[in-house]
Amino acid sequence: MSKRDYYDVLGVSRGASEDEIKKAYRKMAIKYHPDKNPGDKAAEESFKEAAEAYEVLGKADKRQRYDQFGHAANAQSAGGGYGGQGMNMDDIFSQFGDIFGGGGSPFEGFFGGGGGRQQGGGGRRVARGSNLRIKVRLTLEEIANGVEKKIKVNKQVPCGTCDGSGAKDKTSVQTCKTCGGSGAVRRVTNTILGQMQTTSTCPTCNGEGSTITSKCNVCHGDGVVRGEETISINIPAGVSEGMQLSMSGKGNAAPRGGVPGDLIILIEEIPHETLKRDGNNVIYDMHINFVDAALGTSVEVPTIDGKAKIKIEPGTQGGKILRLKGKGVPEVNSYHRGDQLVHINIWTPKALSREERDLLEKLQNSPNFKPSPGKKREKLF
């Protein structure tokens, strides 16, 4: 079954602001929240669908790619995928907890006398690493054909000494005594409507559910250190200057085994020596002398794929455009490819020998050398 449009899922227009999208998602999340719809599989799927839509539309870079390529943007997978597909319930609550105003469920204490959602770890908070941005410079040939780039990235990586736990050894990690490992503390208040239960992040462990009694000597309890990683990036054919791609989970590592951030790849084009890109088309300015233009000739022109031989018809006028079908740049995730446009320019010599001048003076008054464009004028590109 094909995916629904993310804007339709959240019920917003394509011009909706970031705040409007956030409000729409919160409304959908509350409507289909598992605590409000216990045992309802359809509601759970709608809840996940709304979270998936917000994960894309709620981020400016992912929204930009979605607006341009639709669901195909998420198919530009580079060792992990562009986009946030396959989200489970724990992913949703860990990533979008701020939508509900804190950890855990916004419905605890309101349905069934405190029978709130008991998900793995309760309100345990999962740390998330920061995103990284890098620039990748590509030649026109690499853009046209797609390329795999291996880039060395300096970033935060899990500490090899403690395996990212931040503790000196396994015995140095213990369950938080304040929250009992849930990462959240609950408070029950008596009101005229009965008992109401509120949940907040545990102040002792900051929502992690565990505390460290003895820190790692290398990372000093952070679980991450500065390091270098060689990342293989598959650049699809047809990308353009300024386009951003995203590799999920390839950013900075998160403290103490959390979720790593994303790697944002900014595309830069290296100018070609002779070819100029115009969208998916490629333009080449070719200069020929007026003798070849008058008599006709065959010439070789550079293309993205090498050289191609073209025929110049006798009587070719300056400004004429010759089209080489399919010699341009392909569209991203498409079989369509642009053309190469060869722009004919007539070269006029600035210096002449005595013999050349005598020959031209003999032809100067010839009837065929008098301009006669007629009613139909050559169309310039």
Side-chain angles (χ1 to χ4, degrees):
M1 185 176 66
S2 60
K3 283 182 176 292
R4 292 173 60 201
D5 182 84
Y6 286 150
Y7 290 98
D8 291 340
V9 171
L10 297 182
V12 296
S13 66
R14 288 191 169 268
S17 66
E18 183 179 338
D19 188 55
E20 289 173 332
I21 290 175
K22 187 172 184 179
K23 287 181 179 179
Y25 169 56
R26 189 177 189 279
K27 181 179 178 181
M28 295 287 291
I30 291 175
K31 179 179 179 181
Y32 295 112
H33 197 283
D35 288 346
K36 193 175 181 181
N37 305 272
D40 189 338
K41 289 294 183 182
E44 183 176 328
E45 289 304 315
S46 296
F47 183 75
K48 291 180 180 179
E49 185 182 41
E52 181 181 308
Y54 179 70
E55 200 268 342
V56 173
L57 301 185
K59 296 179 180 179
D61 56 338
K62 292 187 177 181
R63 183 180 180 182
Q64 180 184 5
R65 292 197 307 277
Y66 178 75
D67 288 343
Q68 189 171 4
F69 304 116
H71 291 299
N74 297 316
Q76 299 173 13
S77 179
Y82 306 125
Q85 313 307 312
M87 302 178 71
N88 57 41
M89 300 302 285
D90 289 339
D91 291 334
I92 296 170
F93 284 108
S94 65
Q95 293 185 37
F96 306 135
D98 62 315
I99 296 294
F100 306 116
S105 165
F107 302 103
E108 287 193 60
F110 291 94
F111 299 101
R117 174 178 173 82
Q118 299 295 323
Q119 60 168 351
R124 182 176 297 173
R125 187 176 65 183
V126 179
R128 182 174 176 83
S130 59
N131 292 343
L132 278 178
R133 287 181 176 271
I134 62 170
K135 293 180 180 179
V136 175
R137 304 186 77 228
L138 303 173
T139 64
L140 186 58
E141 289 81 4
E142 290 173 331
I143 289 173
N145 299 302
V147 66
E148 180 181 359
K149 290 281 188 179
K150 291 187 177 181
I151 308 293
K152 288 184 178 180
V153 180
N154 292 314
K155 64 175 190 173
Q156 289 183 330
V157 298
C159 176
T161 303
C162 64
D163 291 329
S165 68
K168 184 178 181 180
D169 50 48
K170 292 182 179 180
T171 61
S172 299
V173 180
Q174 65 179 17
T175 301
C176 177
K177 295 179 180 180
T178 303
C179 64
S182 67
V185 291
R186 293 171 174 79
R187 178 179 299 173
V188 178
T189 306
N190 292 319
T191 70
I192 59 174
L193 299 176
Q195 288 188 335
M196 297 189 67
Q197 180 176 275
T198 58
T199 305
S200 60
T201 301
C202 177
T204 302
C205 65
N206 292 320
E208 293 184 12
S210 61
T211 56
I212 297 174
T213 58
S214 183
K215 296 180 180 179
C216 172
N217 294 327
V218 176
C219 65
H220 308 292
D222 291 334
V224 294
V225 294
R226 296 301 300 181
E228 186 178 78
E229 181 182 356
T230 300
I231 299 175
S232 181
I233 306 172
N234 290 313
I235 308 293
V239 295
S240 57
E241 175 83 21
M243 183 178 289
Q244 293 187 111
L245 307 177
S246 175
M247 292 183 68
S248 178
K250 291 297 183 179
N252 282 318
R256 292 178 289 280
V259 180
D262 297 339
L263 180 64
I264 310 299
I265 303 117
L266 179 64
I267 301 298
E268 286 191 353
E269 293 187 19
I270 300 173
H272 196 277
E273 290 183 0
T274 55
L275 302 176
K276 180 180 178 181
R277 182 177 178 182
D278 181 24
N280 290 326
N281 292 332
V282 172
I283 297 174
Y284 175 64
D285 280 320
M286 186 176 70
H287 293 80
I288 61 175
N289 62 59
F290 61 82
V291 176
D292 286 337
L295 301 178
T297 187
S298 293
V299 295
E300 282 189 341
V301 297
T303 71
I304 294 175
D305 303 318
K307 290 186 177 294
K309 200 166 189 178
I310 63 173
K311 185 178 181 180
I312 305 297
E313 297 291 341
T316 295
Q317 302 297 307
K320 185 173 183 178
I321 304 295
L322 302 180
R323 184 181 297 270
L324 303 181
K325 196 72 174 176
K327 291 294 185 180
V329 177
E331 293 182 3
V332 178
N333 292 329
S334 172
Y335 293 106
H336 178 264
R337 186 164 181 161
D339 303 328
Q340 177 165 326
L341 307 177
V342 181
H343 186 187
I344 304 297
N345 298 276
I346 306 300
W347 177 261
T348 303
K350 294 182 179 180
L352 297 172
S353 66
R354 183 63 187 175
E355 182 180 0
E356 291 167 339
R357 181 178 293 276
D358 289 341
L359 289 172
L360 292 176
E361 285 177 350
K362 292 179 180 178
L363 298 172
Q364 188 173 18
N365 295 321
S366 174
N368 288 331
F369 274 73
K370 292 182 179 180
S372 179
K375 294 182 179 180
K376 293 183 179 180
R377 303 183 63 182
E378 192 74 26
K379 292 184 178 179
L380 298 181
F381 173 69

